[in-house]
Amino acid sequence: MKLGTHSFIRELSTIHLIVLFYLTAVLISGVLLGLPFLHQSGVDVSFIDTLFTAVSAVSVTGLTVVSTAETFNAAGKIVLAVILQFGGIGIMTLGTFVWLIFGRKIGLRGRQLIRIDQNRSTFSGLVKLMINILKIILTIELFGTIILSTYFLHYFDTWQEALLQGFFGAVSATTNAGFDITGSSLMPFAHDYFVQFINMILLILGAIGFPVLIELKALLSSRGDSLYPNHHFSLFTKLTSVTFFSLLAAGWGLIYFFERNAFLMDKAWHEKLFYSLFQSVTTRNGGLSTMDVSDFTIPTLLVICALMFIGASPSSVGGGIRTTTFAIMLLSIFNYAKGNSSIKLFRREVDPEDIYRSFIVITTATMLCGSAMVLLATTEPFSLIEIIFEVCSAFGTTGLSMGITSELSMFGKCIIIFLMFVGRIGIFSFLFLMRGTETNDLYHQPKEKVIIG
Amino acid sequence: MKLGTHSFIRELSTIHLIVLFYLTAVLISGVLLGLPFLHQSGVDVSFIDTLFTAVSAVSVTGLTVVSTAETFNAAGKIVLAVILQFGGIGIMTLGTFVWLIFGRKIGLRGRQLIRIDQNRSTFSGLVKLMINILKIILTIELFGTIILSTYFLHYFDTWQEALLQGFFGAVSATTNAGFDITGSSLMPFAHDYFVQFINMILLILGAIGFPVLIELKALLSSRGDSLYPNHHFSLFTKLTSVTFFSLLAAGWGLIYFFERNAFLMDKAWHEKLFYSLFQSVTTRNGGLSTMDVSDFTIPTLLVICALMFIGASPSSVGGGIRTTTFAIMLLSIFNYAKGNSSIKLFRREVDPEDIYRSFIVITTATMLCGSAMVLLATTEPFSLIEIIFEVCSAFGTTGLSMGITSELSMFGKCIIIFLMFVGRIGIFSFLFLMRGTETNDLYHQPKEKVIIG
Ligand SMILES: [K+]
Ligand SMILES: [K+]
């Protein structure tokens, strides 16, 4: 078994560049969001809160230390929506788009940048892929904006306000950003199934992963796409879709089960079902909420924490360890217990290196989040479950909170900023970042077994 | 990379037999501990509490639902000590011993049984190994009993009581059982550094792992042992010892750091140092305590939980995921981040299958304990930290508790019994147990990569 991949030096500098891009995006976003004329009159935001908002926006997490609705004016909200767009689709993708617009051909270096960021394993057709991603996301957001804005004419006094709310809502949902300009997430629409339904669709389309959308589009448009001839779904699309919807169903069932005699007790049967469904969808990565999560019981909160930690599909707008990582871990354990020497699914075999990567990602993420919990428990005066919830939400870039975000100390905010950043770039890039100089791996030592477990 | 080992069918039936042995031990222990004439007069113990005590004793965990001091009479306490002895050294080891006494040669099957239970990778010299283990453990316990009993003459009125306390204390410490017959663990000796020092030595000798003791003995006795010629320490001994003492030092430092201005605030400097040292040693697996752990702050409790979850060395009296498992995970992550394709340490290379096993053990254990926490949070009225602590203590067979054990519901007790059992037999045997009929692993499918993390 190989521990590493074939081209470390190349990937190393590539990931350094990606991180540099993200940091630049955070910097620019921070400066923009700090501009006084984008704020409501009389509002003053501290440096750490501006930085926090910028990281939360670029990583499309949605944790907030200031109220978006009350801090930013209409122009500020539009700027924020644009930042979410950048963050959600990925700076690399947009970078490619800008390059295309400026008429420059994308060289090998540029392709590498995008390949790592979206984690695609194939080089071919990358430019086409990027254009496809942009087309698809903008189309989804356009439809979302039209539907929501039209519908919001009933809710808001002016068509301008309805349009702003519809536009921001569609972008925030599709990018799974979780930011809201209503002042209380989707709670004003807690009884409006239509708004929630549209939001769920947008959330799922954003979190299911771009490759899935592209393969779906290729299938739906019924014309041969050079990337995916004969409409064969890739192993990735099958695996991530099955995992995504399994997690969604599991979350739905568990939240319903744990809350049926607690938070959901006084609700009608259709409300019970719909509320727990929406909550499960939003933990996949959205972070929008129709109710106060701190009203839930501890078992529900723990389940939500686990779901947020797992997060969305790779190559999506979401964070966490990602669905495929979790699925491959489960399959590995199952196959190991069965005594199989390989993982077979959908008439394919999983690459051993992918298995190894999964375990590296999961264990690193667990230790990272565990350490963050211990640190926050040291400095913050909140209950353990509130801290665990905040950590999982930040790492999964989900953005749900039991309400402690704005009350965190400076140190606590820094920890959450760090988690959002790592959650967004992924454990994988994070580990590459940790890498020092080139290592000496050319010689071998005799192998010796030790006793495990 | 191979997912499995070479001889599944053989190991499968072997592990089934081991579990059968353990279950038989629990059954016999349960019947013995339920005998009324071993109880103090007037004491009545329910079925579930007897079962709980039996599992806790056989798995040398030390979690208790009834007070050992007030429930059992002197004869009962001696029976309990014998059960701890059986559990601690391992039923397989004693089984071998009985076979030897009865003059039967140990066949291949018998050797296999011991091999898996103590997880040794080599067949040769097994009988000799077993005799060595017994000699070493009994010698340690003999010295412990003599020293403690003599010293206890100052503490107790009669020499019989001093001898009983010394004997039980030495056995409980060496087997890391954590049971006490003082009624309040080592708290009566909270200010007696000598008793604590002797206990720490015994706890460490029991938890460091039998192979380490045997290699140490071979070194100390300065004569060539056919098993370990020329006193080369094995990779296992080096790895587990370094990990064991690193964890001990980390626990010492962190507990001191987190509690220096809290629980330890009013203590003298030597008390601060000694208390945190003893607490760190006892989390390695002992479960004895000189203070009420529920007085600690949340960060300390979380650190203790992590240390208990990791547990002791493999092939020791302890449970958890084991030290080597944890060490190999850390080394894997470090080497992966560095871009190395293998793990080199002490001029040896770690076997890739051991790496894979480590990850399987850790992720399975994490999910098992996580599920247990969610279930207990559903049925038990205790705080989250109390539940997390109890789960980690049971899985690590440590036996520390924030005091909720005896108040658990029937369902809660069953969960803890299950965790103690799995913690003792190890995740590895547990996974083998889950295995169904033989699997079809002869054909291959084309490999396809997916996107991870
Ligand atoms: K989010
Ligand atoms: K113990």
Side-chain angles (χ1 to χ4, degrees):
Chain A
M1 183 177 53
K2 284 292 188 70
L3 287 184
T5 56
H6 37 284
S7 53
F8 283 117
I9 305 307
R10 204 176 53 198
E11 293 198 351
L12 178 59
S13 45
T14 307
I15 287 173
H16 278 145
L17 272 174
I18 287 181
V19 171
L20 200 67
F21 269 96
Y22 273 109
L23 287 177
T24 312
V26 167
L27 198 72
I28 295 173
S29 305
V31 170
L32 282 174
L33 294 174
L35 293 175
F37 61 86
L38 294 180
H39 296 170
Q40 305 263 24
S41 59
V43 171
D44 196 31
V45 187
S46 72
F47 171 74
I48 184 75
D49 287 352
T50 308
L51 178 66
F52 194 100
T53 309
V55 172
S56 184
V58 171
S59 65
V60 288
T61 303
L63 286 172
T64 48
V65 283
V66 295
S67 162
T68 311
E70 291 167 20
T71 306
F72 300 102
N73 57 25
K77 285 163 189 165
I78 291 170
V79 168
L80 185 59
V82 173
I83 294 173
L84 299 182
Q85 194 73 282
F86 263 87
I89 301 187
I91 290 151
M92 293 307 107
T93 315
L94 283 171
T96 324
F97 192 59
V98 172
W99 265 346
L100 280 175
I101 289 174
F102 285 21
R104 288 175 57 177
K105 268 186 96 80
I106 296 173
L108 189 65
R109 166 119 253 145
R111 290 182 186 225
Q112 276 172 26
L113 284 175
I114 302 144
R115 186 174 81 89
I116 303 297
D117 188 41
Q118 299 298 347
N119 237 337
R120 287 293 298 178
S121 300
T122 167
F123 268 98
S124 64
L126 209 50
V127 174
K128 202 171 170 184
L129 184 76
M130 288 295 128
I131 298 176
N132 270 337
I133 290 177
L134 268 178
K135 269 192 197 163
I136 291 174
I137 294 297
L138 291 179
T139 308
I140 293 171
E141 287 176 347
L142 181 66
F143 276 98
T145 304
I146 292 172
I147 295 171
L148 285 178
S149 298
T150 312
Y151 190 77
F152 280 169
L153 289 172
H154 299 295
Y155 273 96
F156 298 97
D157 296 336
T158 64
W159 68 266
Q160 291 93 333
E161 182 66 14
L163 182 62
L164 180 63
Q165 290 279 350
F167 166 69
F168 195 96
V171 171
S172 181
T174 310
T175 59
N176 277 240
F179 277 85
D180 66 87
I181 55 171
T182 63
S184 53
S185 201
L186 284 188
M187 287 183 208
F189 313 109
H191 299 284
D192 192 323
Y193 289 172
F194 180 76
V195 172
Q196 290 182 55
F197 180 75
I198 296 294
N199 265 285
M200 282 199 283
I201 300 289
L202 296 178
L203 289 173
I204 291 174
L205 288 176
I208 192 77
F210 295 143
V212 178
L213 294 181
I214 286 179
E215 290 183 30
L216 260 182
K217 186 189 162 215
L219 179 72
L220 291 176
S221 62
S222 282
R223 54 182 167 79
D225 185 305
S226 65
L227 272 175
Y228 306 96
N230 304 325
H231 303 318
H232 276 313
F233 283 117
S234 64
L235 178 61
F236 168 73
T237 287
K238 289 172 186 165
L239 182 62
T240 199
S241 302
V242 168
T243 313
F244 189 92
F245 288 107
S246 301
L247 287 171
L248 201 154
W252 188 8
L254 287 171
I255 293 169
Y256 177 85
F257 178 78
F258 287 134
E259 295 300 324
R260 72 195 192 289
N261 295 323
F263 179 80
L264 298 171
M265 192 161 63
D266 303 326
K267 308 279 188 295
W269 66 268
H270 54 90
E271 282 177 318
K272 287 183 185 178
L273 287 175
F274 205 88
Y275 275 41
S276 36
L277 173 63
F278 187 87
Q279 193 58 44
S280 179
V281 171
T282 201
T283 58
R284 297 294 61 245
N285 208 246
L288 294 165
S289 54
T290 54
M291 52 203 130
D292 187 351
V293 287
S294 44
D295 289 340
F296 287 135
T297 60
I298 299 277
T300 309
L301 292 169
L302 289 176
V303 166
I304 292 178
C305 284
L307 290 171
M308 294 194 298
F309 179 77
I310 297 169
S313 302
S315 290
S316 78
V317 292
I321 59 168
R322 325 287 202 237
T323 50
T324 46
T325 313
F326 179 69
I328 287 189
M329 179 201 70
L330 282 189
L331 289 167
S332 298
I333 293 173
F334 178 76
N335 278 278
Y336 194 86
K338 292 277 284 179
N340 297 334
S341 64
S342 61
I343 301 177
K344 299 188 185 67
L345 67 161
F346 301 117
R347 281 189 264 169
R348 288 286 183 280
E349 218 168 281
V350 177
D351 191 309
E353 194 176 308
D354 284 341
I355 299 175
Y356 193 68
R357 281 189 180 200
S358 299
F359 281 115
I360 293 279
V361 167
I362 288 172
T363 47
T364 310
T366 306
M367 287 196 301
L368 204 68
C369 289
S371 307
M373 288 169 199
V374 173
L375 287 174
L376 289 177
T378 315
T379 59
E380 312 300 316
F382 307 111
S383 74
L384 184 58
I385 186 68
E386 286 172 324
I387 288 170
I388 294 175
F389 199 92
E390 196 79 7
V391 164
C392 291
S393 179
F395 175 72
T397 70
T398 316
L400 291 170
S401 173
M402 292 177 71
I404 68 171
T405 319
S406 58
E407 293 167 57
L408 289 170
S409 69
M410 174 74 108
F411 176 79
K413 283 174 185 169
C414 290
I415 297 272
I416 297 296
I417 285 175
F418 174 74
L419 286 174
M420 292 192 289
F421 187 72
V422 174
R424 183 64 189 101
I425 68 169
I427 286 291
F428 223 50
S429 305
F430 172 69
L431 282 179
F432 273 97
L433 264 187
M434 299 289 97
R435 183 167 300 172
T437 49
E438 68 288 345
T439 55
N440 185 354
D441 199 34
L442 299 172
Y443 63 99
H444 275 281
Q445 300 279 10
K447 286 202 174 81
E448 182 171 340
K449 289 186 77 68
V450 296
I451 316 175
I452 298 294
Chain B
M1 186 178 51
K2 285 294 189 64
L3 286 183
T5 56
H6 37 281
S7 54
F8 284 118
I9 305 306
R10 204 177 51 196
E11 293 200 350
L12 177 59
S13 44
T14 306
I15 286 173
H16 277 145
L17 272 174
I18 287 180
V19 171
L20 201 68
F21 270 96
Y22 274 109
L23 287 178
T24 312
V26 167
L27 198 71
I28 295 173
S29 306
V31 170
L32 283 174
L33 295 174
L35 294 175
F37 62 85
L38 293 181
H39 296 171
Q40 306 262 23
S41 58
V43 171
D44 198 31
V45 187
S46 72
F47 171 76
I48 182 78
D49 286 351
T50 308
L51 178 67
F52 194 100
T53 308
V55 173
S56 183
V58 170
S59 66
V60 288
T61 303
L63 286 172
T64 48
V65 283
V66 295
S67 160
T68 311
E70 291 166 20
T71 306
F72 300 103
N73 57 26
K77 284 163 188 165
I78 291 170
V79 168
L80 185 58
V82 173
I83 295 172
L84 300 182
Q85 195 71 282
F86 263 87
I89 302 189
I91 290 152
M92 294 307 106
T93 314
L94 282 170
T96 323
F97 193 59
V98 171
W99 266 346
L100 280 175
I101 288 174
F102 284 23
R104 287 175 59 176
K105 268 188 97 82
I106 297 171
L108 190 66
R109 167 121 254 142
R111 290 180 186 229
Q112 275 171 29
L113 283 175
I114 303 145
R115 188 173 82 87
I116 303 297
D117 186 43
Q118 299 298 348
N119 238 337
R120 288 291 300 178
S121 300
T122 166
F123 268 99
S124 64
L126 209 50
V127 174
K128 202 171 170 185
L129 184 77
M130 288 296 129
I131 298 176
N132 269 338
I133 289 177
L134 268 178
K135 269 191 197 162
I136 290 173
I137 295 296
L138 291 179
T139 308
I140 293 170
E141 287 175 349
L142 181 66
F143 276 97
T145 305
I146 292 172
I147 294 170
L148 286 179
S149 298
T150 312
Y151 190 78
F152 280 168
L153 289 172
H154 298 294
Y155 272 97
F156 299 98
D157 296 335
T158 64
W159 68 267
Q160 290 92 335
E161 183 65 15
L163 182 62
L164 181 63
Q165 290 280 351
F167 167 69
F168 196 96
V171 171
S172 181
T174 310
T175 59
N176 276 240
F179 277 85
D180 66 87
I181 55 173
T182 63
S184 54
S185 201
L186 284 189
M187 284 182 211
F189 314 110
H191 298 284
D192 192 324
Y193 288 170
F194 181 76
V195 173
Q196 291 182 55
F197 180 74
I198 297 294
N199 266 284
M200 282 198 282
I201 300 289
L202 297 177
L203 289 172
I204 291 174
L205 289 175
I208 193 75
F210 295 144
V212 178
L213 295 182
I214 286 178
E215 290 184 30
L216 260 183
K217 186 189 161 215
L219 180 71
L220 291 177
S221 62
S222 281
R223 54 185 166 78
D225 184 305
S226 64
L227 272 175
Y228 305 94
N230 302 328
H231 304 317
H232 275 314
F233 282 116
S234 63
L235 178 61
F236 168 73
T237 287
K238 289 172 185 163
L239 182 62
T240 197
S241 302
V242 168
T243 313
F244 189 91
F245 288 107
S246 302
L247 288 171
L248 201 153
W252 188 8
L254 287 171
I255 293 169
Y256 177 85
F257 179 77
F258 288 135
E259 295 300 324
R260 72 194 190 290
N261 296 325
F263 179 79
L264 298 172
M265 193 162 61
D266 303 329
K267 307 279 189 295
W269 65 268
H270 55 89
E271 282 178 318
K272 286 183 186 177
L273 287 175
F274 205 88
Y275 276 40
S276 36
L277 172 62
F278 187 87
Q279 193 58 44
S280 179
V281 171
T282 203
T283 56
R284 298 293 63 244
N285 208 247
L288 293 166
S289 53
T290 52
M291 52 203 129
D292 188 352
V293 288
S294 44
D295 288 339
F296 286 135
T297 59
I298 300 277
T300 309
L301 292 169
L302 289 177
V303 166
I304 293 178
C305 285
L307 290 171
M308 294 195 295
F309 179 78
I310 297 169
S313 301
S315 289
S316 79
V317 292
I321 58 169
R322 324 290 202 233
T323 50
T324 46
T325 314
F326 179 69
I328 287 190
M329 179 201 70
L330 282 188
L331 289 167
S332 299
I333 293 173
F334 178 76
N335 278 278
Y336 193 87
K338 292 278 285 180
N340 297 335
S341 65
S342 61
I343 300 177
K344 297 188 186 69
L345 67 161
F346 301 117
R347 282 187 266 171
R348 288 288 181 280
E349 217 168 284
V350 177
D351 191 311
E353 195 177 306
D354 285 341
I355 299 174
Y356 194 69
R357 280 190 180 198
S358 299
F359 282 115
I360 293 278
V361 167
I362 288 172
T363 48
T364 310
T366 307
M367 286 197 300
L368 204 67
C369 289
S371 307
M373 289 169 198
V374 172
L375 287 174
L376 289 178
T378 315
T379 59
E380 312 300 317
F382 306 112
S383 74
L384 184 57
I385 186 67
E386 288 172 323
I387 288 169
I388 294 175
F389 199 91
E390 196 79 7
V391 165
C392 291
S393 179
F395 174 71
T397 69
T398 316
L400 292 169
S401 173
M402 292 177 69
I404 67 171
T405 320
S406 58
E407 293 167 58
L408 289 170
S409 69
M410 175 75 110
F411 176 79
K413 284 174 185 169
C414 291
I415 298 271
I416 297 297
I417 286 176
F418 175 73
L419 286 175
M420 292 192 289
F421 187 73
V422 174
R424 183 64 189 102
I425 67 169
I427 286 291
F428 221 50
S429 305
F430 172 70
L431 282 178
F432 273 98
L433 266 186
M434 300 289 98
R435 183 168 297 172
T437 50
E438 68 288 347
T439 55
N440 186 353
D441 198 34
L442 300 172
Y443 64 97
H444 276 280
Q445 299 280 9
K447 287 203 173 80
E448 183 172 340
K449 289 186 78 68
V450 297
I451 316 175
I452 297 294

